[in-house]
Amino acid sequence: MLKGRTIMVTGASSGIGEAAARLLAAEGAAVVLMARREDRLREVAGSIEDDGGRAAVCVGDVRSPADVEGAVSTAVDTFGSLDGAFNNAGWGTVGPPLHEMDDADYDRMMDVNVRGVWNCLRKQIPVMLTQGSGGSIVNTSSTAGLFATGASAPYVAAKHAVAGLTKAAAAQYGAQGIRVNALMVGSTRTELMEAAMQEVPQLDKYAVARAIQQRLADPQEIAQAVVWLCSDRSSFVTGASVPVDGGCSAV
Ligand code: NDP
């Protein structure tokens, strides 16, 4: 489905990003994997290559425009183009009520989740415009980008901002064939979710009760939506906030 495309994935060292990178590669895309943990990225890239796929590693922090530019250049230099992106790196906590939170937590949450996506859009879109063949960008938001889920206030604000950036970018570059969509991800079994469950042990039960499907997602289920949005099968979908949340935003 994605043969001949090069797709950059941030947060590819674990969880949803890792699952998406593996599935995108299995569907034929060459993938550029970005995150901070080099050993984990090399492990993921190695196993993609063992399965016959193509992957390049770019160690970096999405808060750094230079690191993001490095990943975009890796795509073009190694595979010849940048046709899509899954801007997924993120960090969040449940945290105390906002008046008890540190400013440093607010700054970090905004930097990783919002500035990270901002940096990616600002480096990826010029390359796609120059190539002239459009592209598909998927940004990871959350059900916390739709309503106050119980996650910390800065996380809820950051994920709403990701949905806003997505709509604005979709509107500005639609005419050039660049589609930009956000995934409103529901509770998914990953390292981030495990850390949140350690913070708040009753979170597991709460998350299960919120979902119509009465369970958490497997990262693979989110990855399927990423592949669809990166492919031409979603050709008339842009500027959308697509829920993949077991129905929790419907009730
Ligand atoms: P993980 O903790 O498994 O993955 C987070 C990824 O982001 C890791 O690969 C991590 O890699 C990377 N990352 C974090 N900070 C940075 C940074 N500054 N620069 C580059 N990479 C970074 O969690 P998930 O897979 O769950 O999270 C992926 C996305 O999904 C996040 O945006 C999260 O907010 C969102 N989400 C998750 C939900 C869930 O229930 N799990 C629900 C809704 C949204 P490294 O540490 O190597 O840098």
Side-chain angles (χ1 to χ4, degrees):
M1 203 196 303
L2 295 167
K3 216 168 167 34
R5 310 265 168 100
T6 304
I7 300 177
M8 168 177 163
V9 180
T10 71
S13 59
S14 62
I16 294 166
E18 175 184 344
R22 289 178 186 277
L23 198 58
L24 289 163
E27 291 291 346
V31 288
V32 175
L33 314 179
M34 182 180 177
R36 294 163 303 171
R37 286 170 295 176
E38 182 170 6
D39 53 336
R40 296 283 293 263
L41 288 179
R42 298 230 173 265
E43 219 177 287
V44 178
S47 93
I48 287 173
E49 285 169 349
D50 288 348
D51 291 342
R54 293 187 304 155
V57 163
C58 200
V59 181
D61 191 317
V62 290
R63 292 171 289 187
S64 156
D67 286 2
V68 172
E69 191 163 20
V72 170
S73 300
T74 299
V76 175
D77 296 346
T78 312
F79 300 119
S81 64
L82 180 72
D83 310 293
F86 181 37
N87 299 327
N88 160 78
W91 176 71
T93 58
V94 178
L98 69 88
H99 74 281
E100 290 171 15
M101 286 194 81
D102 290 338
D103 285 344
D105 281 339
Y106 173 89
D107 289 341
R108 183 175 165 202
M109 215 95 66
M110 287 295 171
D111 271 358
V112 177
N113 293 300
V114 188
R115 189 178 288 275
V117 170
W118 168 254
N119 286 337
C120 287
L121 293 171
R122 288 187 27 106
K123 299 299 179 189
Q124 293 157 352
I125 287 171
V127 172
M128 291 178 178
L129 289 174
T130 304
Q131 289 173 174
S133 48
S136 176
I137 298 175
V138 182
N139 298 321
T140 301
S141 180
S142 164
T143 48
L146 295 169
F147 54 88
T149 51
S152 67
Y155 185 78
V156 172
K159 291 302 188 182
H160 273 75
V162 170
L165 273 177
T166 300
K167 289 174 190 170
Q172 288 176 13
Y173 302 103
Q176 287 96 341
I178 300 172
R179 296 186 296 113
V180 191
N181 291 290
L183 274 186
M184 316 315 271
V185 175
S187 297
T188 306
R189 290 207 183 277
T190 64
E191 289 173 20
L192 185 143
M193 187 42 110
E194 273 165 29
M197 283 175 186
Q198 294 214 330
E199 209 185 327
V200 181
Q202 65 274 26
L203 187 64
D204 197 355
K205 274 196 190 136
Y206 168 78
V208 167
R210 283 281 313 155
I212 290 176
Q213 289 180 295
Q214 296 285 291
R215 64 176 176 84
L216 272 63
D218 183 273
Q220 280 291 333
E221 296 178 284
I222 314 299
Q224 293 287 353
V226 178
V227 167
W228 176 68
L229 286 171
C230 284
S231 78
D232 292 342
R233 293 192 183 175
S234 59
S235 54
F236 203 50
V237 181
T238 195
S241 298
V242 179
V244 186
D245 65 358
C248 89
S249 59
V251 290

